[in-house]
């Protein structure tokens, strides 16, 4: 995120995407198609797979990957919430934040108060402004004013800005609480339950990765705000057991924060990826055949891993291509790391049968040993 955005001032021209880049990205998604906003969930998934130029470009251009996947014949029905789940989540969030956030602040003090006085009445600043840039600037100003006041403040759905691959992304956490000592705490409200004070580990992990993106964006604002610091523990609020009563847990996101920070810096700049595309490449869904769109998708390099199935709408398409090419990455990143220079299933099998590979290579020796053990067990390597 640019410093001027973080301080509440408008960004300078060199900190904004160039007009040429904005035009190029609009051409890629279709001039008449509004950009799909890049949220924290998408950023967390992008940070988990920084080598995937395809996702970086499509997300940066604001392309609707779900509609694109359907158009090229690889739809993913696993994404998105049911209307019932969406309504239940909104109702629970409203309950948690009701009465000026009294219950939310009580949970925050209970889990993260560390001996401080229980919060009384908290400021709830108005964060309304025109457009995401205006809302981000208004949020930065509200954070600075709340920190200077030395009291409690609850920012409901603030807007944060974070630069990703040379392009700004605007993020909207459920809430941010400002403590009297200048600490800022991210609050994430989820509708999955905590049963006996424990929630599903995979869902908690996803929430932690998403919250780490918010913490990273907040840090860009805090560094320009006197007396401010960002808490590296976030408050996760969920329904208690099988009721609709809220309970909470403090989640340390320092590990997720370090990974996200490192991975986002590794992302190739979007303009560099766009410059490498063949002339005339576009992902405009209007007036193009599925075959033309598939060609455009294949023009951007992708890095598929099984984890993509839970995070990207194009995962089924990329998995099919990875299987066709026989890449070992399709079997998992850990296996890919162990196989070293052997990058395809064909190379691995050839090495295991002794048809190729340097016997002095530890990886080749290991797969040949595995093949020998398999043969001894009566199942020859095929």
């Amino acid at each position: 995120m640019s410093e001027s955005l973080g301080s509440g001032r408008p960004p300078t021209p060199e900190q904004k995407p160039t007009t040429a880049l904005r035009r190029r990205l609009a051409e890629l998604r279709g001039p008449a198609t509004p950009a799909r906003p890049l949220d924290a969930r998408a950023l967390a998934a992008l940070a988990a797979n920084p080598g995937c130029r395809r996702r970086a470009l499509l997300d940066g251009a604001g392309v609707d990957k779900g509609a694109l996947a359907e158009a090229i014949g690889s739809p993913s029905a696993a994404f998105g919430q049911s209307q019932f789940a969406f309504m239940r989540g909104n109702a629970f969030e409203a309950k948690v934040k009701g009465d000026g956030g009294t219950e939310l602040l009580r949970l925050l003090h209970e889990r993260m108060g560390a001996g401080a006085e229980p919060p009384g009445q908290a400021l709830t600043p108005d964060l309304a402004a025109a457009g995401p840039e205006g809302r981000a600037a208004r949020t930065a100003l509200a954070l600075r004013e709340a920190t200077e006041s030395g009291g409690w403040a609850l920012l409901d759905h603030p807007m944060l800005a974070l630069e990703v691959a040379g392009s700004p992304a605007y993020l909207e956490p459920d809430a941010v609480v400002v403590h009297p000592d200048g600490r800022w705490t991210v609050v994430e409200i989820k509708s999955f339950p905590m049963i006996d004070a424990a929630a599903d580990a995979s869902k908690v992990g996803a929430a932690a990765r998403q919250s780490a993106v918010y913490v990273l964006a907040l840090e860009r604002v805090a560094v320009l705000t006197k007396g401010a610091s960002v808490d590296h523990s976030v408050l996760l609020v969920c329904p208690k057991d099988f009721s609709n009563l809220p309970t909470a847990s403090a989640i340390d996101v320092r590990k997720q924060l370090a990974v996200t920070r490192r991975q986002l810096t590794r992302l190739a700049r979007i303009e560099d990826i766009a410059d490498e595309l063949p002339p005339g490449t576009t992902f405009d869904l209007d007036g193009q055949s599925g075959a033309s769109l598939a060609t455009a998708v294949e023009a951007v390099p992708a890095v598929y891993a099984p984890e993509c199935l839970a995070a990207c709408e194009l995962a089924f398409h990329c998995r099919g291509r990875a299987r066709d090419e026989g890449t070992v990455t399709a079997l998992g990143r850990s296996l890919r790391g162990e196989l070293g220079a052997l990058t395809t299933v064909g190379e691995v099998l050839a090495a295991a049968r002794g048809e190729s590979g340097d016997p002095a290579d530890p990886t080749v020796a290991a797969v040949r040993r595995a093949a020998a053990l398999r043969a001894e067990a009566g199942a020859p390597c095929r």
Side-chain angles (χ1 to χ4, degrees):
M1 182 186 74
S2 63
E3 290 189 352
S4 56
L5 273 177
S7 61
R9 298 186 297 273
T12 59
E14 66 271 18
Q15 291 169 328
K16 287 184 177 182
T18 64
T19 301
L21 176 58
R22 288 182 184 274
R23 187 183 304 116
R24 179 70 173 117
L25 295 180
E27 291 172 353
L28 286 174
R29 69 174 177 270
T33 305
R36 190 177 182 86
L38 188 62
D39 59 16
R41 184 174 299 177
L43 274 181
L46 189 58
N49 192 7
C52 186
R53 292 188 160 211
R54 181 176 297 168
R55 173 149 199 168
L57 179 65
L58 294 176
D59 281 347
V63 175
D64 185 341
K65 297 194 302 298
L68 180 61
E70 186 170 354
I72 62 177
S74 299
S76 173
F79 287 87
Q81 283 186 317
S82 69
Q83 189 65 22
F84 174 75
F86 186 76
M87 293 174 60
R88 182 182 60 187
N90 283 345
F92 179 69
E93 181 176 336
K95 179 180 179 67
V96 171
K97 294 178 179 177
D99 194 21
T102 301
E103 180 65 10
L104 176 57
L105 293 175
R106 183 192 69 78
L107 290 169
L108 179 73
H109 178 262
E110 181 181 291
R111 301 300 181 188
M112 306 173 69
E117 288 296 321
Q121 196 170 17
L123 295 174
T124 54
D126 182 8
L127 303 179
E133 290 186 17
R135 288 188 59 201
R138 180 67 188 92
T139 294
L141 179 61
L143 285 167
R144 183 166 64 246
E145 291 175 344
T147 303
E148 290 173 353
S149 72
W152 290 94
L154 172 63
L155 279 66
D156 186 8
H157 285 287
M159 183 66 74
L160 307 173
L162 182 67
E163 185 176 292
V164 180
S167 183
Y170 294 97
L171 314 171
E172 190 175 358
D174 291 328
V176 172
V177 174
V178 178
H179 299 243
D181 60 4
R183 280 186 300 141
W184 301 348
T185 299
V186 170
V187 178
E188 189 67 8
I189 302 172
K190 296 295 186 183
S191 59
F192 58 80
M194 284 189 186
I195 300 174
D196 292 334
D200 182 273
S202 63
K203 293 180 179 179
V204 172
R209 290 189 294 272
Q210 183 176 336
S211 298
V213 177
Y214 297 137
V215 171
L216 185 60
L218 269 180
E219 286 183 338
R220 303 305 196 266
V221 187
V223 74
L224 299 170
T225 305
K226 183 178 180 181
S229 63
V230 183
D231 204 328
H232 288 170
S233 290
V234 303
L235 187 72
L236 177 62
V237 182
C238 298
K240 182 178 181 181
D241 298 327
F242 301 100
S243 71
N244 199 38
L245 298 175
T247 187
S249 178
I251 308 295
D252 190 332
V253 298
R254 283 177 295 181
K255 179 180 178 181
Q256 292 84 354
L257 181 63
V259 171
T260 301
R261 184 184 289 114
R262 181 175 67 253
Q263 299 292 60
L264 288 180
T265 59
R266 292 176 54 198
L267 284 173
R269 294 181 65 82
I270 293 172
E271 55 263 46
D272 296 336
I273 304 173
D275 288 344
E276 295 174 1
L277 293 176
T281 299
T282 177
F283 304 98
D284 189 351
L285 299 176
D286 294 331
Q288 279 204 100
S289 66
S292 298
L293 289 168
T295 300
V297 168
E298 290 305 311
V300 191
V303 177
Y304 171 78
E307 294 84 353
C308 296
L309 292 172
C312 182
E313 295 89 334
L314 283 170
F316 290 113
H317 173 81
C318 297
R319 181 180 65 177
R321 292 295 183 271
R323 287 176 172 176
D324 291 343
E325 296 168 1
T327 58
V328 296
T329 308
L331 303 176
R333 289 196 182 97
S334 59
L335 182 61
R336 170 67 187 90
E338 292 176 0
L339 291 174
L342 304 176
T343 59
T344 68
V345 174
E347 290 176 349
V348 174
L349 294 178
R353 291 191 294 259
E355 298 170 358
S356 65
D358 183 1
D361 185 333
T363 302
V364 173
V367 296
R368 288 184 180 175
R369 176 58 177 160
L373 293 173
R374 182 179 178 87
E376 290 176 9
C381 181
R382 294 180 291 177

